[in-house]
Amino acid sequence: MRICVVGCGAVGSLFAANLASLDDVEVWAYDLWDEHVAAINEHGLQLSGAGEVVGRVRATSDAAEVPACDFGIVATKSMHTSSAVAAVAHAFEGGAVCSVQNGAGNEELVAEHVREVIRGTTFPAGHLADPGHVVWDTKGDTHIGPFEPSPAPIDKVRVLADACTRAGMPTVALEDARGAQWRKLIFNAASNAIGALTGLSHGRVAEPPTRELAWAVMAEGGAVADAQGIVLDTSPEDLFDYAARKDVAYDHKPSMLQDIQAGRETEIDFLNGAIVAFGERNGVDAPLNRTLTALVQGLERR
Amino acid sequence: MRRVCVVGAGVIGSLYAAHLSRVAEVSVLVRRPEQAAALREGLRVSGKSDFAARVTAASDPAELPEFDLGIVSTKATDLDAAAARLARRFEGATMMTIQNGLGAEEILRAHGSWPVISAVTFMSGVRHDDAHVEYELDTETWLGPYAGSGTTFETVEEVHDLLVASGLRARAFADLRPAQWSKLIFNATVNTVAALTDLPHVSQFAATAEQTDLGRLVRDLMDEGKRVAAAAGVELHEDPWEMNVLAVRRGETQAAEGAYAHVPSMLEDVRSRRRTEVDFITGALVREAGRAGVPVPLHTAMYRLVRAREQA
């Protein structure tokens, strides 16, 4: 089996390096960062932290080099989904492509270039330490399922889930993976946007004066999920409180806050912006998410 | 009305003190002795007007000469402490409040039974040092009698005439509340949006093409504020959205001439990690909304975000 990870940042590297440990899987990585690509090809893709792995991965920044693959795993930042998948789509004419990105709206973009699409949500996290080296910060589950408008067959979804699980990335294949995706989306949208606007860590966002706001923002997301017939697998509010524990992620700086502080573009359009857009399509107004979207977009353009 | 005391010499206080010194005897009360000393050397205005003013300055209220008109121009967050220093003094004076938001008159009156003039101003500037202020926007001061405090409209007109004679622009109102509320809604919106986005008051504040454009949020916030005003029985003097569009357009013209875009005071406060006036502006609007039974989820969200931003 051949799998290409598209976008080999922290999350992409966790999939790529772990999958490369399997004898029956050949792993490719497509990424535009030349030093990272060179380091991976020279020394292997190294993980440390929650797991010590060195994966033999074929990395390239030239999409034309990627051969035909059985699966793609898209792990770019959401604003790069379209360009990355468009460049490498030729490799997936007979394959299925799974997004493991943040937020909602990525699968729609993948489906503009690929026929068989898999919806995915992943919790493992890490950060890039050096070219070719990613620190694995937290382990966690991944949920994947056919993307309804342009689905991969469920059998293929199961094959990918099985490979990831065997590789040490526990992955559940579901007929409907929307509940897991929207639970994480609703949680992320509240934590990230409020964190980015206030400068507060996740744990402090969960306290007054922003706690009630976070809960109201999540309630709007829940209403938008409801209107689409999505049943959340567990409660985003419970996840919010769990993550706010001192022994979990109280001091964690939401990634959107890190993006703002580094002057980078954020994933706001795929988080709060996606809740607004899916709400609009389904006749549900989400004024607080619209407010947060407008404010974060303003902050990006300052 | 020949003797004026300005309490608090930030940008606005300094602009009043310097201009009024051309037509009245002006004293200035400040908190820091160093600023009083600097002001005694002369108060400089540059920008829209350019001159140096002679004023009396003190950091101890006991050293102040008597006055007919007190202009209390501290930030809203410092008003209570400043008013406490005036308590049981200057009982023959009329006091004018100029703070952003609502509630300044009540805070002042808790410390003395002076007749009070309510005022709002749209002037703005930049403070260069303790005794030098740059005058940016030479817009009007609006003033009117604070009901129930014994101020007559004649007194308001007298103060108006004094301001105009000093070279400032002013307008007297029999009832200031419609103007005060227009500015309250404008400020509650523009200041919080600026503080949270780190954007000066630029053209994006009036952009409404897309659903998540900043101008849509500005308009939605102003609509919420307008519903509160209506429920409180206040007919607005000016539409805050039109004020916003005009201000943005004026900013664009100035930017084209190479001037800076206006940085709202709450953004300045956030950038300098000072406590903001959000309690007196958005906080006041949210409290009025509660009293009138009007839901204001967006202003409530903005209030919480700015409070959280202050704590970060």
Side-chain angles (χ1 to χ4, degrees):
Chain A
M1 182 187 347
R2 190 182 289 137
I3 300 178
C4 178
V5 170
V6 179
C8 200
V11 168
S13 294
L14 298 182
F15 279 95
N18 281 307
L19 284 165
S21 69
L22 300 178
D23 291 336
D24 58 336
V25 176
E26 174 188 331
V27 179
W28 282 71
Y30 170 60
D31 197 280
L32 296 181
W33 185 21
D34 288 325
E35 287 94 328
H36 189 45
V37 164
I40 294 170
N41 287 331
E42 205 167 323
H43 307 293
L45 177 54
Q46 189 197 344
L47 305 183
S48 59
E52 302 285 334
V53 179
V54 180
R56 275 175 299 101
V57 173
R58 297 279 305 272
T60 179
S61 56
D62 178 3
E65 282 184 15
V66 180
C69 293
D70 303 290
F71 292 101
I73 295 177
V74 183
T76 63
K77 285 255 184 191
S78 300
M79 49 278 195
H80 304 131
T81 303
S82 263
S83 57
V85 175
V88 79
H90 62 86
F92 304 118
E93 277 170 20
V97 175
C98 178
S99 163
V100 292
Q101 298 158 283
N102 275 332
N106 284 296
E107 291 83 0
E108 283 78 356
L109 298 175
V110 173
E112 288 174 10
H113 307 283
V114 175
R115 203 175 54 251
E116 294 182 356
V117 181
I118 302 173
R119 181 192 296 281
T121 303
T122 192
F123 275 92
H127 64 271
L128 266 160
D130 298 296
H133 177 203
V134 163
V135 178
W136 192 351
D137 293 321
T138 48
K139 295 199 169 187
D141 292 342
T142 300
H143 294 85
I144 61 177
F147 173 62
E148 307 72 19
S150 185
I154 187 72
D155 289 344
K156 284 199 180 184
V157 176
R158 292 197 178 109
V159 169
L160 179 62
D162 174 63
C164 292
T165 303
R166 283 189 289 125
M169 297 282 282
T171 300
V172 184
L174 297 164
E175 295 279 357
D176 182 355
R178 297 180 304 165
Q181 186 176 39
W182 275 73
R183 186 225 334 167
K184 188 181 179 198
L185 162 64
I186 291 167
F187 157 82
N188 259 338
S191 176
N192 275 279
I194 297 175
L197 290 166
T198 60
L200 295 175
S201 71
H202 175 77
R204 293 192 60 195
V205 169
E207 294 169 356
T210 41
R211 182 181 177 85
E212 271 187 71
L213 174 60
W215 258 247
V217 169
M218 288 192 280
E220 279 186 4
V224 174
D226 269 354
Q228 299 170 85
I230 297 171
V231 180
L232 302 181
D233 58 350
T234 60
S235 132
E237 290 85 355
D238 289 349
L239 180 59
F240 210 95
D241 274 334
Y242 172 76
R245 280 171 33 177
K246 292 260 197 267
D247 58 333
V248 181
Y250 184 91
D251 291 318
H252 174 69
K253 230 190 230 186
S255 62
M256 194 180 287
L257 172 56
Q258 296 180 41
D259 288 340
I260 288 294
Q261 288 177 341
R264 288 189 298 256
E265 210 182 330
T266 73
E267 294 186 303
I268 187 74
D269 291 346
F270 295 83
L271 294 172
N272 308 78
I275 291 173
V276 173
F278 281 92
E280 197 181 18
R281 262 172 252 163
N282 292 277
V284 179
D285 193 24
L288 292 174
N289 279 282
R290 199 167 60 232
T291 296
L292 296 176
T293 305
L295 290 172
V296 172
Q297 285 176 350
L299 201 49
E300 283 180 330
R301 287 165 201 169
R302 83 202 127 126
Chain B
M1 206 158 267
R2 302 299 308 166
R3 298 168 304 173
V4 178
C5 176
V6 174
V7 180
V11 170
I12 300 300
S14 298
L15 290 174
Y16 283 126
H19 285 86
L20 286 168
S21 74
R22 307 200 275 205
V23 293
E25 286 167 33
V26 172
S27 58
V28 180
L29 176 63
V30 293
R31 201 169 36 80
R32 290 178 298 115
E34 312 87 82
Q35 188 177 16
L39 287 167
R40 281 194 290 266
E41 300 296 310
L43 168 56
R44 188 172 162 223
V45 178
S46 58
K48 286 280 176 187
S49 11
D50 204 335
F51 62 99
R54 301 213 61 82
V55 296
T56 311
S59 58
D60 178 354
E63 290 172 11
L64 283 177
E66 284 298 318
F67 53 84
D68 311 305
L69 171 68
I71 299 180
V72 187
S73 54
T74 64
K75 299 210 89 165
T77 43
D78 298 329
L79 174 61
D80 192 52
R85 303 174 74 207
L86 301 172
R88 288 176 307 280
R89 295 177 191 270
F90 315 112
E91 279 163 0
T94 294
M95 296 289 188
M96 179 168 110
T97 56
I98 192 73
Q99 284 68 23
N100 282 323
L102 292 181
E105 300 91 341
E106 288 156 62
I107 294 171
L108 180 66
R109 291 267 295 176
H111 297 279
S113 53
W114 308 283
V116 171
I117 294 177
S118 301
V120 298
T121 184
F122 293 90
M123 293 194 297
S124 75
V126 178
R127 183 183 179 283
H128 287 294
D129 60 42
D130 273 351
H132 176 196
V133 60
E134 185 181 332
Y135 191 8
E136 278 186 344
L137 287 183
D138 58 343
T139 34
E140 287 180 333
T141 296
W142 294 347
L143 57 165
Y146 179 56
S149 72
T151 314
T152 62
F153 187 60
E154 287 66 39
T155 312
V156 172
E157 283 182 309
E158 235 181 292
V159 173
H160 164 269
D161 293 349
L162 191 68
L163 289 170
V164 170
S166 81
L168 294 170
R169 299 170 60 194
R171 189 158 163 189
F173 290 78
D175 178 4
L176 189 68
R177 288 212 315 158
Q180 220 168 6
W181 273 75
S182 291
K183 190 180 179 197
L184 172 70
I185 296 167
F186 175 87
N187 264 340
T189 304
V190 171
N191 270 283
T192 53
V193 169
L196 291 169
T197 58
D198 200 32
L199 286 170
H201 193 199
V202 290
S203 53
Q204 278 159 268
F205 282 61
T208 56
E210 303 288 330
Q211 232 213 137
T212 55
D213 274 352
L214 209 52
R216 293 270 191 113
L217 172 60
V218 167
R219 202 171 56 191
D220 288 347
L221 284 164
M222 286 174 167
D223 285 346
E224 262 190 15
K226 280 151 71 170
R227 285 195 288 277
V228 180
V234 177
E235 201 171 312
L236 295 177
H237 173 68
E238 272 187 294
D239 183 84
W241 173 254
E242 284 165 23
M243 293 163 72
N244 170 58
V245 171
L246 270 176
V248 162
R249 229 175 266 155
R250 192 172 53 214
E252 280 168 350
T253 316
Q254 288 180 339
E257 290 163 4
Y260 290 110
H262 175 59
V263 177
S265 63
M266 201 177 287
L267 172 54
E268 269 181 11
D269 288 340
V270 163
R271 282 179 177 172
S272 345
R273 302 184 162 275
R274 284 190 299 257
R275 195 177 148 204
T276 72
E277 295 183 310
V278 73
D279 260 332
F280 298 86
I281 302 174
T282 302
L285 184 61
V286 170
R287 285 189 293 276
E288 292 288 338
R291 220 168 285 162
V294 177
V296 283
L298 299 184
H299 280 291
T300 305
M302 300 300 279
Y303 177 73
R304 289 179 173 145
L305 288 169
V306 173
R307 289 310 303 272
R309 183 90 183 70
E310 288 179 325
Q311 291 163 21

